[in-house]
Amino acid sequence: MTRRRPWHHAARRLAGRAVTHQLLRLFNFLPAWEYGLTRPQLTHLPIHHPPLRGRRAVQLSDLHLDRYLYRHDHVLRMVRDLRPDWIFVTGDLIDLASGLPHCFRFLSGLRWIAPVFVTLGNHDHYSGVPIERFADLAERHKITLLINDFSIVSAGQTELAIVGVDDPSLHRARLHCIPPASDDRFTLLLAHAPNILDQLEEQHEVDLILCGHSHGGQWRPPLLEPFWLPPGCKGRAHGLYEAGRHRLYVNRGLGWSLLPLRWNCAPEILLIEWMDVPECRAAAS
């Protein structure tokens, strides 16, 4: 039976489109007005899991890529130099349907570097592009789109389970897709919004959750907490968070929303490195 979503979720979707689209159309044709988006910060997250030692992955989030710019080539070069085994993109690929070819040009550039796994965010739904269209383009470009689904990849003598759920902030995540635990398997959950941490239960076998959505606050007065975060963050702006046995990393993302401005809040590329020594906290470089 198809599950009906509450009316206020549909209202939020319509409001999101109405409020943002005119500003997006304006600023996408004024790229020189962007500020604070050209220098992504690299964050290193070591993970203690000996069976995957030596493996590396990159997480990107919140591309909001409606117009291909020079800074996107710079990101591709940075990711290439990190030599990842896998690349994860956690939603908000586009804002406007017209951004699809630009976005998949970027995702194809990533695919030349390593296998790419993608899930969707709230702005992808606000764009009005049907999920089937995303799926068709992903298949055509040999990109794995995970919408309440999982993929298991072999990594030597062990496995990496990559689970991708639809946007939790719109209550579209379906956690039944998380596979059961298996010896030495590492389970990674890709979700757009940090409130996925509140939806997980103790029996869900997940070793690490990657998300975005917050933009880190996007505009951050010095020495102060972000004064605004989108619904679905539950106060989680950036970095590592824990609840029970689950760990979540919130990525600041690469793009912008409403205004093409990042203030005291650099875009972020996350490098995950599996190691056979005890892990330490994420460190920016």
Side-chain angles (χ1 to χ4, degrees):
M1 182 174 69
T2 302
R3 213 172 143 186
R4 296 186 63 184
R5 299 183 180 90
W7 66 269
H8 54 85
H9 296 158
R12 182 182 150 202
R13 181 175 179 271
L14 292 173
R17 293 181 67 181
V19 169
T20 61
H21 278 200
Q22 294 307 316
L23 282 172
L24 287 163
R25 289 190 176 94
L26 170 64
F27 287 123
N28 277 330
F29 286 98
L30 297 168
W33 286 21
E34 287 193 347
Y35 177 81
L37 287 123
T38 57
R39 295 181 181 274
Q41 184 180 62
L42 176 64
T43 302
H44 182 218
L45 179 63
I47 297 292
H48 177 227
H49 186 71
L52 281 173
R53 63 183 176 275
R55 301 285 184 158
R56 311 175 114 206
V58 162
Q59 181 214 5
L60 307 175
S61 194
D62 298 82
L63 308 182
H64 295 276
L65 206 163
D66 297 300
R67 184 182 176 102
Y68 198 98
L69 301 172
Y70 173 78
R71 63 181 172 88
H72 297 115
D73 283 330
H74 179 56
V75 170
L76 290 176
R77 288 192 293 270
M78 287 185 67
V79 173
R80 180 198 62 204
D81 290 345
L82 294 172
R83 295 173 284 110
D85 296 284
W86 307 285
I87 299 171
F88 309 124
V89 184
T90 49
D92 275 7
L93 310 179
I94 60 171
D95 295 293
L96 305 170
S98 59
L100 274 176
H102 304 284
C103 178
F104 275 90
R105 172 185 170 186
F106 178 75
L107 293 176
S108 294
L110 293 175
R111 182 62 187 86
W112 279 101
I113 299 169
V116 178
F117 299 82
V118 176
T119 193
L120 300 183
N122 56 309
H123 280 262
D124 301 311
H125 293 292
Y126 297 163
S127 74
V129 176
I131 289 178
E132 294 76 15
R133 179 63 174 152
F134 282 109
D136 177 64
L137 286 168
E139 183 177 8
R140 190 181 308 174
H141 290 86
K142 296 181 172 55
I143 292 162
T144 303
L145 178 66
L146 295 171
I147 305 295
N148 298 320
D149 201 356
F150 71 93
S151 177
I152 294 180
V153 298
S154 176
Q157 300 301 310
T158 189
E159 293 178 335
L160 175 67
I162 305 163
V163 184
V165 294
D166 205 347
D167 180 43
S169 77
L170 295 180
H171 298 272
R172 302 177 69 105
R174 301 291 177 261
L175 300 179
H176 61 77
C177 63
I178 298 173
S182 178
D183 290 345
D184 290 333
R185 178 191 292 165
F186 190 95
T187 299
L188 185 70
L189 175 60
L190 311 180
H192 180 61
N195 67 334
I196 188 65
L197 192 58
D198 307 303
Q199 299 175 21
L200 287 169
E201 298 179 0
E202 188 69 19
Q203 74 268 18
H204 290 125
E205 296 287 345
V206 175
D207 296 291
L208 179 66
I209 310 154
L210 300 177
C211 70
H213 187 56
S214 70
H215 294 200
Q218 193 165 309
W219 316 294
R220 298 192 64 161
L223 305 179
L224 297 177
E225 293 296 316
F227 60 84
W228 180 84
L229 292 172
C233 287
K234 298 291 186 75
R236 303 175 185 111
H238 166 246
L240 281 168
Y241 298 86
E242 295 184 1
R245 61 198 293 269
H246 296 124
R247 295 176 300 168
L248 166 80
Y249 189 87
V250 182
N251 189 312
R252 292 192 303 269
L254 294 175
W256 55 270
S257 182
L258 294 179
L259 295 174
L261 165 68
R262 278 183 176 264
W263 177 38
N264 197 34
C265 187
E268 181 176 26
I269 296 171
L270 178 68
L271 173 65
I272 303 157
E273 189 168 13
W274 284 272
M275 311 178 80
D276 58 2
V277 297
E279 66 189 87
C280 60
R281 291 291 177 178
S285 60

